[in-house]
Amino acid sequence: MLSKRLVSTAAICLVLAAGTAACGSSTSDGKGAGSAQKLDTGKLSAQDIEKQAKEALASATSLKMSGTVGTDGGAMEMNLALDNKSQCTGTMAMPGMGKFEIISDGKTSYVKPDTAFWTNMGGPNGAKAAELFKGRYLTGFENDPSMGSLTSVCNLAEFTKKIGAETGTNDKVEKGATGTVNGVKTISLKATDSKGEVSTLQVATEGKPYPVQIEHTGSKDNNGKINFSDFDKPLTVQAPPADQTIDFSKFKDQMKAA
């Protein structure tokens, strides 16, 4: 039960990619290559801006995303930094279930649930798991069929690929107003799908045209707002000490014996 719910939580990270024709995002700090670039928002069509935003996102070496995504039980919260070396660090929280921390150094992934998460997700042995594994990271689950997909959260290449693949070809995309979002000058793109659900993407108009924010409104279990920042900022990840980890296979054996 625990592993299945963790995997579903990881999958929710990408839910907004299916909700808009122009998903993606970030705040550029205006430094480095391309900082002098400016989008000609007057001449470019919404589709042109969308295309440039996707290309900028695909070229990013790292990013940070934070915000909420709607689920059946309420809003899921995420705060993750990831790069193109499959490194990541951050937290995810499910409504009414608790929070877990995830770390990946590019080779090995680690997940540390909090007490509430262990208790809610461990089934009949939840309370015992919470006490037994308090402060410990699960690791060694990359090849486990029920847990392996959790590591896709840390794969920036997969993230950008999904955004490109999930584009709604029938979505209507329109240019909106220019403004400032999270301290970045932006132009908005509004995509409306066949169900009438709306996604609004804010794209940086100075520097690389990274998307800065995406907000999806429609069915309550698919609403959300994600902010993107720290594009191309080097990510430093430190694996937890061995005495703070437990191998996933040993965890399963101990839970069976509990």
Side-chain angles (χ1 to χ4, degrees), residues 31-66:
K31 299 178 181 178
S35 61
Q37 298 177 3
K38 288 188 177 182
L39 276 179
D40 191 340
T41 56
K43 292 183 178 180
L44 292 172
S45 67
Q47 289 74 19
D48 290 334
I49 296 172
E50 172 191 12
K51 181 175 183 292
Q52 289 195 29
K54 287 183 179 181
E55 290 174 349
L57 182 64
S59 72
T61 58
S62 64
L63 60 83
K64 180 178 180 180
M65 57 183 179
S66 60

Side-chain angles (χ1 to χ4, degrees), residues 18-243:
T20 176
C23 201
S25 62
S26 116
T27 66
S28 170
D29 60 6
K31 299 178 181 178
S35 61
Q37 298 177 3
K38 288 188 177 182
L39 276 179
D40 191 340
T41 56
K43 292 183 178 180
L44 292 172
S45 67
Q47 289 74 19
D48 290 334
I49 296 172
E50 172 191 12
K51 181 175 183 292
Q52 289 195 29
K54 287 183 179 181
E55 290 174 349
L57 182 64
S59 72
T61 58
S62 64
L63 60 83
K64 180 178 180 180
M65 57 183 179
S66 60
T68 61
V69 175
T71 69
D72 291 338
M76 187 201 79
E77 299 178 6
M78 67 176 78
N79 191 333
L80 293 170
L82 57 157
D83 67 13
N84 59 359
K85 298 178 182 177
S86 293
Q87 294 187 124
C88 79
T89 180
T91 60
M92 299 175 69
M94 293 295 290
M97 289 183 282
K99 178 187 293 186
F100 65 88
E101 178 184 356
I102 184 168
I103 297 174
S104 175
D105 61 8
K107 296 180 180 179
T108 306
S109 298
Y110 307 86
V111 171
K112 182 172 74 172
D114 66 3
T115 299
F117 204 97
W118 277 123
T119 302
N120 287 309
M121 307 305 287
N125 296 318
K128 186 170 184 177
E131 182 61 31
L132 185 61
F133 305 119
K134 183 178 181 180
R136 306 281 290 278
Y137 291 84
L138 283 174
T139 189
F141 50 76
E142 285 83 358
N143 296 321
D144 186 277
S146 63
M147 287 285 287
S149 62
L150 181 62
T151 60
S152 66
V153 170
C154 296
N155 191 319
L156 180 58
E158 281 297 313
F159 177 76
T160 56
K161 185 186 299 182
K162 274 198 174 284
I163 287 176
E166 296 290 353
T167 295
T169 55
N170 295 320
D171 291 354
K172 179 181 179 181
V173 185
E174 301 173 303
K175 284 194 293 185
T178 57
T180 301
V181 177
N182 298 334
V184 179
K185 293 181 179 180
T186 62
I187 184 170
S188 63
L189 297 180
K190 185 175 76 171
T192 306
D193 66 16
S194 58
K195 297 179 181 179
E197 298 191 1
V198 176
S199 294
T200 302
L201 175 69
Q202 302 289 345
V203 180
T205 57
E206 296 183 354
K208 289 186 177 182
Y210 287 130
V212 174
Q213 182 187 85
I214 183 169
E215 182 173 11
H216 187 80
T217 56
S219 56
K220 65 180 182 179
D221 59 349
N222 197 27
N223 288 342
K225 180 188 290 186
I226 300 294
N227 295 297
F228 295 82
S229 61
D230 293 351
F231 271 73
D232 304 322
K233 182 178 180 180
L235 185 62
T236 301
V237 176
Q238 185 172 355
D243 62 359

